[in-house]
Each structure stands twice: as C-alpha cells, then as structure tokens.
Amino acid sequence: MSAARGARAVVTGAAGFIGSHLAEALLDAGYLVTGIDGFTASYARAFKRANLAGLLGRRGFELVEGDLSVMELDELLGGVEVVFHQAAQAGVRASWGVDFDVYVRDNVVATQRLLEACVRCGVSRLVAASSSSVYGDAPAYPTTEESITRPVSPYGVTKLASEHLCLAYAQLASSGLTVASLRYFTVYGPRQRPDMAFRRFFEAVYAGEPIRVFGDGEQTRDFTFVGDAVRANLLAMSAPFRAEPVNVGGGRRVSLNEVLELVGRITGRRVPVVRVARQPGDARHTGADGARAEALLGYKPEVDLEAGLARQAAWIAQLVDSGTRVAP
C-alpha cells in the first residue's frame, strides 16, 4: 500500500500503543500524518513520549496535543482522506466507580465531536478502534459480528456506544462518511500499556517477582499482535465498507496458563504465580470469528503468539536494561 502524493491522514491517540505503530506505518506508506493525543493521566507521559521516538522529527509527521472532547478539529481535518480514531480511555477494571465520567468523555463525547467534524470537513473514511469487550460473555466462540453485544463492564458499554455513534453518522443521508469499526481482540506487543497483562508479566519475571493472575488462569483470550492490528487498519482504508463492525483477532484462543508457560520458555526463567480473585467485568473467554475480516479486508493474522511474545519480551528486556520502570 502506498499513498498518492500529498495524501493526508489523521491518527488520534498517536502517542499510544497502537496509534504510534499505526502512524509510523502510514508515514512508511507515504502519507502526511497528523497525530493527535491528549496525553491523559491514564499512564505516565514519559511512556507516551517514548512511543513517539520514531515519529517526532520525522518528515511528514505533525503532533498536536489536545483533548478531542473540547478542541477545535476542523482545521486539522480539512483535506484529510482518512481518520484513524485510536484515542480512548482504555481498561476494563478501572471503568467501575468514580472514574466512569472519564470513560464517557473520552470514549463517547470525544467520538461524537470527531464524527461531527468529519462530516463537516468531508472526510470520506473513518477507521475506528472498537473492542471485543462489546460482546461481554458471548454465547458462542469463535464469535461473529452478528453475535449479541452485551458488555459486562462500563468500559465495554462506552465502546459499544462509540461504535453505535460511528454507525449512526455513517448512515446520515447528508454525509459521505463511511466507517469501519475494528473490534480488537486483546492486542499485545512492544509499547503495550503498563497496565496490560503481558507487559506486567514480563516485567515481573525480569524483576524476579511473582506474577499476579486474576482467577484460575483457565480463562481464554484471542491475542492479536500489534503489527497485525496495524495491518488491519491499513487494509480498512480502502475496503468496501459503509458502516460495518469487523473482528480483528489473532487466530486462536489461548488460556492464560498457556501464556504463562510461554513466558517461562521465552525468558528461560521461573514464573512464580500468585492467584487472586477474578475481577468484575472480565469476560471468561473471547475468540474472534475472522470470516468477515478476511472477506472485507483480506485480513488474516500473520504473527503467532509465541513469535509475538518473543518480540515483546525483547522490548521489555531493553526497558529493563535501560532502567525504565513501569508506572505505578
């Protein structure tokens, strides 16, 4: 995939885990990229600045710091062909309780304001990051996009609301906007957020500390390498969408206990485990049916779990060697 000369793209959440990888891939393809990020307090600013190391100073990239729920967007979207909406307040467990208003602001209000600006500015394609959390405890696995959506966490509720907003705006008679909502299934890899499981696992092992596991470890997930998630976004730019959600998965379900075995094998270290109670909002299983992604996007995952974990382990080892610590 290569861009026409002068083609412009916007990436929200550009300093984040997936957004920074996506912005780099777009630059590699020849796009002029405007990255927007709010640098929220969800994790340390230093980690987000580190994510931008391959972008800042690179020709064709502009970083704009701002809050999507209040900032002016029209000037940034004029002449833009595609917007990749990666920005969100992530995390299932933290969405319970007093911080819910943050999730509503960053996942619902911000999305609505971005959609309004896209319509005003004539943006033709929005590729939005959704989540497997919209399914909750699905009735069947692998789960198709036609499955009932019944989130089991406030986070999942806001992601489903965001998705419905995208679909509603794509159906406006006065709008030429088309939308692809990509339902990510547990993305992992280098630059993963400090609160996410695989990063916590590797940092604990390299520090000689026990890994805290919620529940019995027999819960399963469909883990997706970040490079595959980025490729799905790139394919979604020109795929024949009007307003469809699409699963983006890693190809198979794996139990958490199997992951722990792989962590030990990859690092060559013991993996002591402390088991604690299962947390509210955690679905017992997830698994993506990939038929629609293959049919609409031509997407199939390319990186298997062991290979992807090895890449993440190498990145974590570099952080440890440099003295970088996980944010509290």
Side-chain angles (χ1 to χ4, degrees), residues 42-246:
S42 56
Y43 61 98
R45 187 183 183 95
F47 286 121
K48 292 187 177 182
R49 297 298 297 185
N51 291 344
L52 293 167
L55 292 166
L56 295 178
R58 186 170 172 182
R59 186 176 181 180
F61 179 74
E62 176 189 16
L63 177 66
V64 177
E65 183 171 349
D67 179 347
L68 291 172
S69 69
V70 296
M71 67 187 292
E72 294 298 324
L73 291 165
D74 289 25
E75 185 175 340
L76 299 176
L77 298 186
V80 168
E81 294 185 1
V82 58
V83 173
F84 295 90
H85 184 31
Q86 304 294 309
Q89 181 66 26
V92 166
R93 298 179 190 117
S95 65
W96 299 94
V98 297
D99 289 335
F100 182 63
D101 61 333
V102 175
Y103 283 79
V104 173
R105 181 195 69 204
D106 292 348
N107 297 352
V108 181
V109 175
T111 299
Q112 189 271 343
R113 292 194 74 256
L114 178 63
L115 286 162
E116 285 281 348
C118 285
V119 170
R120 285 194 304 270
C121 296
V123 174
S124 59
R125 173 60 54 92
L126 175 75
V127 181
S130 188
S131 168
S132 62
S133 293
V134 302
Y135 293 118
D137 288 311
Y141 306 96
T143 305
T144 72
E145 292 85 353
E146 301 303 319
S147 177
I148 188 170
T149 48
R150 188 176 291 165
V152 293
S153 69
Y155 164 72
V157 170
T158 63
K159 291 303 288 183
L160 184 58
S162 174
E163 193 176 290
H164 283 178
L165 280 168
C166 289
L167 300 181
Y169 275 82
Q171 292 169 22
L172 277 175
S174 59
S175 169
L177 180 67
T178 58
V179 175
S181 292
L182 303 185
R183 291 175 175 170
Y184 296 152
F185 281 70
T186 314
V187 182
Y188 71 97
R191 303 180 202 164
Q192 193 180 43
R193 296 194 322 270
D195 63 294
M196 296 185 75
F198 289 179
R199 180 162 177 177
R200 292 192 298 103
F201 290 177
F202 281 117
E203 289 190 325
V205 167
Y206 284 129
E209 300 169 354
I211 291 174
R212 187 173 59 157
V213 172
F214 296 104
D216 60 8
E218 287 305 302
Q219 62 266 45
T220 61
R221 293 288 182 270
D222 190 337
F223 297 106
T224 310
F225 187 67
V226 64
D228 283 331
V230 166
R231 190 163 49 82
N233 275 272
L234 299 179
L235 290 168
M237 280 196 297
S238 57
F241 281 95
R242 180 61 192 174
E244 289 90 356
V246 177

Side-chain angles (χ1 to χ4, degrees), residues 305-316:
L305 182 60
E306 186 164 2
L309 282 174
R311 295 188 201 179
Q312 183 160 358
W315 175 71
I316 293 290

